Amino acid sequence: MVSTFHGLELGKRGLAVTQASITTTGQNIANANTKGYSRQQVNASATPSLDVWTTGGKSGQLGTGVSLDSITRVRDVFLDRQHHDQASTLGESQVKQQTFDRLETIINEPSKTGLSSSMDKLWAAWQDVANEPKSSAAQTVLKERAIEFVNTAQAMDRDMTYAIDDLNLQQTNTVRDANELVKQIAELNGSIKKAGNQANDLLDKRDLLVGELSTLASIKVTANADGTNNVSLRKADGTAGTELVKGDVQSDSIVDGSEASGGKLAGIIESKAIVGKYQTELANTVEQFVTANGLAAASAPGANLFTKENAAFKVSELNANLTISKDNPAQNANGDVSKVNKSFQSLVSELGAQSQSATNSVKNNEAALLATDNRRMSVTGVSLDEEMANLIMYQHSYSAAARFVSTTDQMLDVIINQMGR
């Protein structure tokens, strides 16, 4: 038998669900510009109906209202994973582009102050010496051109060493930042586990940190039934590598970043190798050039234009022979300098091509990430127009539910207080 107060209970349930919907809409509007916030929605369903007998002896169903099942975030796991992968790729390509930009600045070609210009000036000085072998001015100019070449080569070599030092520092700081994110993700997983997987705000904070981690290293995220996530480094073949977070436990840490197959860490590791390669090629070019112009040990410079301090050649230990003068004229260069020039131009051309390729890669990855981010925001982001429409809809629903309760109360008043007078 249906209770006399059935209508009041039904109306109360409608008011409660509508009020929750209005509050959730307000929460969405308030956090429309909050970084990492996901749009929330109220999930409601009709409560079980009551069986009633109808005319003719047939049973019917009498509605009992609505129940508030949950308040959940609107997320698309596929888009989240795609965003993580593309953020990792962009992070890696950005570091490489910055490295190529720095190398182009260091090599500084074409210019009037680069290594190629120093080679040309030195070669022109040799021509003057050949024309006037006993000229003190010609010998002095040749020595000064040699000093200029050494200074230019050593400045480039030194700047490349500084670039590697900076990358080492970036690597240390990035590993530290990544491990701190891993620690925070494990802690948030613990809080989510305690609060239940409907802890929307905690889930948003955790996912925001996972997104930040994906820019530092390529990761693989696996969702658990209790709302926590397992986070592992992703190998180059796409499989899971080192497991960093398992549920609410930080199971491992990133050691030095060499384990990462993508992200900023992988970009730093690759950039160090790129700078090292160009530094080696620069040293080979300089060694070939100075050998062609006369190279000897510093202890016995003789009439050679350049000296080195040790048997193994190092750009940083290269010096111009300061004893060159009219009385100790430099030996004529007899090496194939043009071949060295072509080798250096080839190095410059290769750097330019790789730098252009890195720039294009960054542009492409930025466009791909932006497209994915727009699609993800169309799902998880807050649309103020949509929320305002929802607010008006829920306002009407609340007014109708309140009117229903008021009407039911008036009906009960008639039955309880006015019948039988």
Side-chain angles (χ1 to χ4, degrees), residues 69-386:
D69 297 335
S70 62
I71 301 174
T72 57
R73 304 182 305 156
V74 181
R75 302 282 296 194
D76 187 319
V77 177
F78 172 75
L79 288 175
D80 285 345
R81 290 176 180 174
Q82 193 173 352
H83 190 276
H84 294 160
D85 293 342
Q86 290 173 342
S88 173
T89 304
L90 178 60
E92 180 181 355
S93 59
Q94 283 178 329
V95 174
K96 290 169 66 175
Q97 183 207 17
Q98 292 167 3
T99 300
F100 281 120
D101 287 346
R102 184 164 183 175
L103 282 173
E104 284 190 314
T105 302
I106 292 172
I107 291 181
N108 192 27
E109 293 289 349
S111 74
K112 295 181 179 179
T113 57
L115 193 66
S116 182
S117 176
S118 295
M119 291 179 181
D120 293 340
K121 290 177 182 176
L122 185 59
W123 184 246
W126 274 117
Q127 298 296 325
D128 294 339
V129 169
N131 294 332
E132 299 182 72
K134 296 182 180 180
S135 169
S136 176
Q139 292 291 339
T140 300
V141 171
L142 178 64
K143 183 174 66 177
E144 292 301 322
R145 296 306 186 207
I147 293 173
E148 179 183 343
F149 174 81
V150 170
N151 289 339
T152 303
Q154 289 183 339
M156 292 169 62
D157 180 70
R158 186 168 54 248
D159 286 346
M160 288 186 184
T161 300
Y162 290 163
I164 293 177
D165 290 344
D166 289 345
L167 287 168
N168 283 329
L169 183 60
Q170 280 189 55
Q171 183 179 357
T172 301
N173 292 339
T174 305
V175 168
R176 182 197 61 204
D177 293 345
N179 284 328
E180 180 62 27
L181 288 173
V182 169
K183 177 185 175 184
Q184 293 180 32
I185 290 170
E187 291 175 350
L188 280 170
N189 270 346
S191 300
I192 292 168
K193 190 174 181 180
K194 291 177 183 175
N197 57 12
Q198 299 299 321
N200 296 327
D201 293 337
L202 293 175
L203 290 169
D204 279 345
K205 289 180 180 178
R206 193 271 316 279
D207 289 347
L208 182 63
L209 296 183
V210 171
E212 291 179 9
L213 181 61
S214 71
T215 66
L216 304 183
S218 181
I219 56 174
K220 191 176 181 67
V221 181
T222 306
N224 298 317
D226 59 1
T228 62
N229 278 349
N230 295 343
V231 181
S232 304
L233 290 175
R234 180 190 288 271
K235 293 182 179 178
D237 61 3
T239 58
T242 304
E243 188 176 58
L244 301 174
V245 177
K246 185 175 184 179
D248 57 348
V249 177
Q250 181 180 352
S251 48
D252 210 337
S253 300
I254 299 174
V255 180
D256 59 5
S258 60
E259 320 92 296
S261 63
K264 185 177 179 180
L265 279 172
I268 291 173
I269 300 294
E270 290 182 48
S271 293
K272 287 168 62 178
I274 290 169
V275 177
K277 168 182 171 291
Y278 277 99
Q279 191 173 26
T280 300
E281 292 186 10
L282 173 67
N284 292 336
T285 299
V286 172
E287 183 178 13
Q288 292 171 18
F289 184 77
V290 298
T291 301
N293 283 276
L295 177 65
S299 57
N304 292 287
L305 190 57
F306 297 99
T307 63
K308 59 180 181 179
E309 297 178 7
N310 294 294
F313 179 80
K314 290 184 179 178
V315 176
S316 59
E317 295 176 349
L318 176 66
N319 293 298
N321 184 0
L322 300 181
T323 65
I324 296 296
S325 65
K326 176 184 176 183
D327 299 329
N328 183 31
Q331 296 175 350
N332 289 333
N334 53 11
D336 189 354
V337 178
S338 61
K339 184 178 179 181
V340 179
N341 276 333
K342 290 180 180 177
S343 174
F344 183 66
Q345 291 303 322
S346 175
L347 181 150
V348 173
S349 299
E350 180 185 2
L351 175 61
Q354 289 185 327
S355 178
Q356 184 63 43
S357 177
T359 300
N360 292 337
S361 177
V362 168
K363 289 180 180 177
N364 293 337
N365 290 325
E366 283 179 339
L369 181 63
L370 180 61
T372 301
D373 194 49
N374 287 337
R375 290 202 303 273
R376 191 168 73 148
M377 290 306 295
S378 70
V379 176
T380 65
V382 176
S383 167
L384 291 177
D385 292 340
E386 182 180 349

Side-chain angles (χ1 to χ4, degrees), residues 3-62:
S3 168
T4 304
F5 300 99
H6 172 75
L8 284 178
E9 177 63 22
L10 189 151
K12 186 196 74 174
R13 291 175 179 177
L15 284 172
V17 171
T18 308
Q19 187 172 20
S21 299
I22 292 175
T23 303
T24 302
T25 302
Q27 173 77 351
N28 288 339
I29 293 173
N31 289 281
N33 299 313
T34 302
K35 185 179 180 182
Y37 179 79
S38 302
R39 180 166 59 91
Q40 297 179 6
Q41 66 181 11
V42 172
N43 302 307
S45 62
T47 51
S49 302
L50 295 176
D51 291 333
V52 294
W53 290 100
T54 60
T55 304
K58 296 181 180 179
S59 63
Q61 297 277 312
L62 184 63

